[in-house]
Amino acid sequence: MLLASASMAIVSVSAPRAAAPRFYADDPVTVDADMQFDASGARPLDLSEYYDFLENTFASRGDRTPIRALNVNTLEEVPDSSWFTNRIGRRPMSAQEIVRGPDRVERLEIEKWLIVRGKSPGGLQPGFLAVDPANPSQLYQLEVDPPANPEMATGAEVIGTAFYHALGYNVVDVYLVDVDPKRITISDKATIRDASGRRRFVQADLDAILEQGARLRDGRYRMSAGRFVEGEGLGNFKYYGTRPDDPNDIHPHEHRRELRANRVFAAWLNHDDSRAVNTLDMLVTAAGRTFIRHYMFDFGSILGSATRFADSPRSGHEYLLERGSSLAALLSLGLHVPPWLRRTCPDDLPPAVGCIDAETFEPARWKPEYPNAAFDNMRPDDAFWGARLVAAFSDEAIRAVVEKARFSDRRATDYLTDVLIERRDRIARAWLTAVNPVVNPRLSSEGTLTFRNAAVEARVATHPAKYAVAWSRFDNAAGTHESIAGEREVTATRAEAPGELLSGSEYIAATIRASHPEHPAWAQPVVAYFRRSPTGWTTVGLDRPFDELRSAGVLYLGGFTPRAARVVAGQPGPGLHPGFGPVRRAKFVVAAGLVLLARDCCRGHCSSARHGRHAPAWGAAEPSCHHDAWRAGSRRAGQCRPAPVSSAGRQCDGAVVAVWDGPRALCAGGLHRSPSVELARDGR
């Protein structure tokens, strides 16, 4: 059905699925080999701290279309890559392993330091770059604590490093060292850059740094020593777009799950300084390949620390420039008082503890210092993934990591441990219960389905009253389901597959819903896919709808301007998963400028640089297109480009679609439902 005007359309798609299969032989992909192309041509990029603040505060950078993360596999997990290596999310980690983190040695024992360079002027925390004269090839960055808050910034640094490493990010190893100023020397070639430019580093510069540092009773200074990792520094990466000189960087950063979900991790640790200037790109050569490895860097501003002083009560509650509060204060003639102003920081704790608490922490309302495109794009499925990682840290592991900071006052260790445990639990309650929390579905060779409930395991929800499981035979080539035996209710996290389904099926699917009076979102179905293997059944796919629109198979459409849309009553289409039920009314706002294809994405002749497979020519698809490499307007060979289209209907792999007079076309087929979608101006 097509009702068209100059810039709007009504779309109904009920054609068969495109010819490409849903799952490939190597699904689920566990390693995203984004190191294939030579990146030796990459050059350092300078990022101005002030420009980063201004462009993210006053401009909406990156693509804000509410699409699924582009770099997840068919199990909705993040594969290992140059950005991320699964650790605590893939296997249990002991407290000792988490504490060790990326460290090469248990303690860094260097008696003498030779200063070779001053720190970059962009950093707030005073420090310098130095080497061990006995090993001059290894460079370290040394930073001090503020005099009013000894142990605060250095403790935050080692704690944040250990947690982020266990989560899966690339981080540099950081050590606590006690430095005797009498055993510091300055290289004749040492330089420092200030407002006048680059000049020699002299004793007065060192004295100025030490004057801003907390001195121990014996005259030494406790410092953090961050080891410079191998490779050539290329500056920072941004939380949106891609790096233009990196041929392997094909996913817009605002659509990478590990960057979106970093909002969860930053909220947990109150890493309000999680911005582009605290990231690091390194050009490395390994196994005969030269590529860029991406790091999270500088954790001195977490846990209530602002490096040179304690955070203000505003930290984590509002941006540096909050338009809403500013307008409210203006309109109320200054009478409006933001809630954070009523918050007080603990004043009965050691100075090593900055301004952080758990009582006022609301995960969904947490904010960094200024907006971040990837954080803004975080969806419930991204948050669920991140919350599972946070929930994986036991009380024992959290305490062990805090103890790594070696606080001299036990009260600091106890307080931060308690705060992090409570903030972890609040994150789990907020984001593990917001979607159907069924995880880890497995099917035995005898046909016994087992699964887990992430919210129940995290002890933030009770067991649901029941689960409903529907079985179907899945045609991987056509993308269709054949319902077998209808829906069955169980009270435990296990069910038996119908015997007739197990014989003669290459792929089967189990649609699992949960019934819980306190968590209506659990009624959304999670669909698990299994493929026959020589030893039984392998879990190959997982769909986790998180709202009524996605479970109804409705697309977010891109046009010139946002428009309201309504889903009107419809009947299940030919690709319906069993157990979905009829479409209910819902509303959503159509995002401008980008088209999100259906799961059955139109596959063009553009080959993914990463996987060598066909990828959609006009957009990023839902879960079936987990390995699609898409980048609008890409100038590099091997990546997908928007194709020119007409303003009339177009045939795409057998799916008749409607296009409208907008910047891109829609090409989709084989939806799980076939509802009518009305697009109307101004929400009518």
Side-chain angles (χ1 to χ4, degrees):
M1 178 173 64
L2 175 64
L3 302 178
S5 66
S7 60
M8 67 179 186
I10 297 177
V11 184
S12 178
V13 183
S14 58
R17 180 184 171 86
R22 168 70 188 272
F23 301 108
Y24 291 86
D26 61 348
D27 283 326
V29 174
T30 58
V31 176
D32 185 354
D34 59 349
M35 309 168 190
Q36 300 298 313
F37 292 97
D38 181 20
S40 60
R43 295 293 178 264
L45 300 177
D46 290 329
L47 177 64
S48 164
E49 183 174 359
Y50 300 105
Y51 179 79
D52 188 59
F53 165 74
L54 292 173
E55 76 163 349
N56 284 285
T57 299
F58 296 103
S60 181
R61 307 302 294 177
D63 174 59
R64 304 303 178 98
T65 309
I67 64 174
R68 178 177 177 266
L70 299 180
N71 68 315
V72 295
N73 63 19
T74 54
L75 292 179
E76 299 213 340
E77 297 292 339
V78 176
D80 294 346
S81 69
S82 62
W83 294 80
F84 191 86
T85 301
N86 287 276
R87 295 186 180 100
I88 200 168
R90 182 169 291 174
R91 59 179 176 81
M93 295 180 69
S94 68
Q96 181 180 7
E97 184 182 6
I98 294 171
V99 169
R100 174 100 182 185
D103 297 353
R104 295 190 168 193
V105 295
E106 185 173 347
R107 291 211 177 197
L108 187 64
E109 303 289 351
I110 297 178
E111 296 296 327
K112 297 179 180 180
W113 291 95
L114 177 66
I115 296 177
V116 297
R117 194 163 73 241
K119 265 189 65 179
S120 167
L124 283 176
Q125 194 172 358
F128 50 82
L129 275 61
V131 299
D132 178 359
N135 182 21
S137 62
Q138 181 58 67
L139 186 65
Y140 294 88
Q141 177 168 287
L142 278 73
E143 297 176 313
V144 298
D145 280 309
N149 298 93
E151 304 177 349
M152 180 184 68
T154 56
E157 189 76 56
V158 297
I159 291 172
T161 298
F163 277 129
Y164 265 79
H165 178 267
L167 288 167
Y169 295 96
N170 298 316
V171 297
V172 303
D173 40 323
V174 180
Y175 306 90
L176 294 176
V177 293
D178 292 337
V179 178
D180 185 349
K182 297 177 182 179
R183 310 198 75 175
I184 300 176
T185 56
I186 303 172
S187 169
D188 294 338
K189 299 179 181 180
T191 61
I192 187 171
R193 190 172 64 184
D194 57 19
S196 64
R198 185 163 291 281
R199 58 174 177 79
R200 278 198 61 190
F201 190 109
V202 296
Q203 184 64 40
D205 297 313
L206 175 58
D207 293 341
I209 292 170
L210 297 180
E211 285 176 5
Q212 301 176 72
R215 192 171 186 173
L216 301 174
R217 292 181 180 180
D218 61 4
R220 294 182 298 172
Y221 291 81
R222 167 170 149 143
M223 299 185 185
S224 61
R227 185 183 69 88
F228 271 55
V229 294
E230 296 75 9
E232 176 188 349
L234 297 179
N236 315 107
F237 65 78
K238 293 187 176 184
Y239 279 85
Y240 69 88
T242 57
R243 187 177 176 113
D245 56 1
D246 182 4
N248 298 297
D249 190 10
I250 61 175
H251 296 306
H253 300 171
E254 65 271 30
H255 294 316
R256 297 190 70 95
R257 173 159 288 177
E258 69 273 24
L259 295 186
R260 289 180 175 183
N262 186 31
R263 179 176 182 175
V264 175
F265 313 136
W268 179 36
L269 303 175
N270 198 37
H271 187 11
D272 59 353
D273 207 25
S274 48
R275 51 195 176 129
V277 294
N278 288 324
T279 66
L280 180 65
D281 276 352
M282 295 295 294
L283 186 68
V284 298
T285 299
R289 300 181 186 273
T290 301
F291 59 93
I292 297 176
R293 182 173 287 141
H294 313 275
Y295 286 80
M296 293 294 183
F297 186 69
D298 195 349
F299 300 103
S301 186
I302 69 170
L303 300 177
S305 166
T307 64
R308 297 185 69 167
F309 40 79
D311 270 329
S312 74
R314 176 199 56 80
S315 173
H317 293 269
E318 283 193 355
Y319 296 132
L320 284 169
L321 183 58
E322 188 77 27
R323 300 177 186 177
S325 292
S326 300
L327 181 61
L330 177 65
L331 295 178
S332 66
L333 302 179
L335 297 178
H336 170 73
V337 178
W340 61 264
L341 274 179
R342 303 185 184 94
R343 174 190 176 214
T344 58
C345 296
D347 57 3
D348 59 344
L349 292 170
V353 177
C355 188
I356 184 173
D357 65 12
E359 290 73 19
T360 64
F361 176 52
E362 298 180 62
R365 294 178 178 270
W366 181 88
K367 294 181 179 180
E369 291 290 76
Y370 50 84
N372 174 318
F375 285 14
D376 290 347
N377 279 357
M378 186 182 78
R379 308 193 317 170
D381 50 350
D382 303 313
F384 178 81
W385 178 82
R388 286 193 68 198
L389 268 62
V390 172
F393 289 94
S394 67
D395 294 0
E396 175 196 6
I398 291 174
R399 174 169 288 278
V401 171
V402 176
E403 288 177 342
K404 186 179 182 179
R406 306 204 312 252
F407 294 122
S408 57
D409 192 323
R410 187 70 182 181
R411 292 178 301 159
T413 300
D414 293 342
Y415 179 79
L416 288 177
T417 298
D418 291 343
V419 165
L420 287 176
I421 289 173
E422 176 59 26
R423 289 171 76 101
R424 174 203 63 191
D425 293 345
R426 292 191 177 209
I427 281 174
R429 280 193 292 271
W431 284 316
L432 290 185
T433 62
V435 299
N436 185 337
V438 166
V439 295
N440 298 106
R442 298 288 184 267
L443 186 65
S444 71
S445 57
E446 293 78 20
T448 300
L449 170 70
T450 58
F451 53 90
R452 292 158 51 192
N453 186 309
V456 172
E457 289 188 351
R459 295 176 295 182
V460 295
T462 58
H463 289 275
K466 60 184 178 181
Y467 296 95
V469 182
W471 295 92
S472 61
R473 182 176 288 112
F474 179 64
D475 187 325
N476 189 47
T480 58
H481 290 255
E482 177 191 353
S483 179
I484 304 293
E487 189 176 73
R488 299 175 181 178
E489 294 182 353
V490 295
T491 55
T493 54
R494 61 187 296 123
E496 298 298 326
E500 63 268 31
L501 180 64
L502 299 176
S503 60
S505 299
E506 182 182 4
Y507 288 86
I508 63 178
T511 301
I512 309 168
R513 297 185 295 110
S515 177
H516 198 297
E518 297 177 9
H519 306 296
W522 294 14
Q524 296 290 344
V526 166
V527 185
Y529 294 87
F530 306 96
R531 177 171 55 205
R532 185 180 294 280
S533 69
T535 57
W537 296 94
T538 300
T539 309
V540 70
L542 189 74
D543 285 352
R544 189 184 308 282
F546 60 82
D547 58 24
E548 190 169 46
L549 293 172
R550 181 172 168 188
S551 67
V554 178
L555 303 178
Y556 292 97
L557 306 178
F560 283 128
T561 58
R563 304 179 184 86
R566 294 187 300 275
V567 181
V568 297
Q571 296 300 319
L576 171 71
H577 285 312
F580 267 27
V583 182
R584 298 188 297 272
R585 286 184 177 271
K587 292 184 178 180
F588 67 103
V589 175
V590 178
L594 178 67
V595 177
L596 173 61
L597 301 186
R599 337 181 159 251
D600 313 303
C601 52
C602 166
R603 296 182 179 272
H605 299 291
C606 171
S607 200
S608 164
R610 184 163 306 174
H611 297 278
R613 299 166 175 160
H614 292 305
W618 301 292
E622 281 289 337
S624 62
C625 304
H626 65 285
H627 40 51
D628 298 317
W630 172 81
R631 185 179 175 192
S634 170
R635 295 181 299 276
R636 294 197 298 272
Q639 295 182 14
C640 300
R641 302 177 175 85
V645 297
S646 66
S647 58
R650 179 186 176 97
Q651 189 79 15
C652 176
D653 289 340
V656 178
V657 300
V659 300
W660 61 97
D661 188 11
R664 297 186 179 91
L666 169 67
C667 194
L671 295 176
H672 288 264
R673 291 178 187 268
S674 300
S676 298
V677 181
E678 274 186 60
L679 299 185
R681 293 183 181 275
D682 303 322
R684 294 175 297 177

